[in-house]
């Protein structure tokens, strides 16, 4: 029976967190942040707020997947806000709807200088 099987224990390797080589390496990586924005070519877009659409504001699409996208703006957007995303295609215009699931000020030096805000949207 699988429930009564005993699985072998994998020995762990002890780590000396006070080892000067390890401490030096960790100090060098302490300020690193995972940032995938450069992997996707940014695109100019426009966004409208609410289901009815109102004021149109410029934004930058910096990443898009099947059910999510990341945009940059020069202003904050509240979590839970519904937005309409207008994208310019080669000879056409595309529209998608999304909801802001996370929003924060940018962490990069140029984000802070430019007042950039980064927003994660769940697409509808």
């Amino acid at each position: 029976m699988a429930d009564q099987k005993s699985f072998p224990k994998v020995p762990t390797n002890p780590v000396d967190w006070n080892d000067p080589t390890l401490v030096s390496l960790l100090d060098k990586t302490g300020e690193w942040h995972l940032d995938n924005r450069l992997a996707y070519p940014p695109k100019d877009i426009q966004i409208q707020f609410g289901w009815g659409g109102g004021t149109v504001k410029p934004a930058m699409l910096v990443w898009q997947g099947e059910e999510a996208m990341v945009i940059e703006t020069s202003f904050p957007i509240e979590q839970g806000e519904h937005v309409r995303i207008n994208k310019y295609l080669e000879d056409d215009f595309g529209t998608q709807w999304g909801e802001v699931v996370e929003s924060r000020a940018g962490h990069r030096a140029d984000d802070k200088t430019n007042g950039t805000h980064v927003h994660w949207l769940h697409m509808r």
Side-chain angles (χ1 to χ4, degrees), residues 80-94:
E81 183 76 52
H82 292 96
V83 294
R84 176 177 154 176
I85 298 94
N86 300 320
K87 296 188 291 185
Y88 299 103
L89 307 172
E90 288 182 22
D91 292 328
D92 201 4
F93 190 73

Side-chain angles (χ1 to χ4, degrees), residues 15-24 26:
V15 176
D16 179 6
W17 294 102
N18 296 318
D19 179 340
T21 306
L22 182 57
V23 169
S24 173
L26 292 173

Side-chain angles (χ1 to χ4, degrees), residues 62-100:
V62 293
W63 180 84
Q64 183 170 11
E66 288 186 29
E67 296 181 8
M69 73 172 50
V70 178
I71 64 171
E72 291 179 352
T73 64
S74 60
F75 49 88
I77 302 176
E78 294 291 325
Q79 185 175 343
E81 183 76 52
H82 292 96
V83 294
R84 176 177 154 176
I85 298 94
N86 300 320
K87 296 188 291 185
Y88 299 103
L89 307 172
E90 288 182 22
D91 292 328
D92 201 4
F93 190 73
T95 298
Q96 289 182 281
W97 287 94
E99 180 180 349
V100 177

Side-chain angles (χ1 to χ4, degrees), residues 93-110:
F93 190 73
T95 298
Q96 289 182 281
W97 287 94
E99 180 180 349
V100 177
V101 293
E102 187 176 336
S103 183
R104 65 165 173 78
H107 292 308
R108 293 178 176 177
D110 58 325

Side-chain angles (χ1 to χ4, degrees), residues 35 37 106-116:
D35 192 340
R37 284 187 274 172
H107 292 308
R108 293 178 176 177
D110 58 325
D111 289 346
K112 293 177 182 178
T113 302
N114 298 326
T116 300

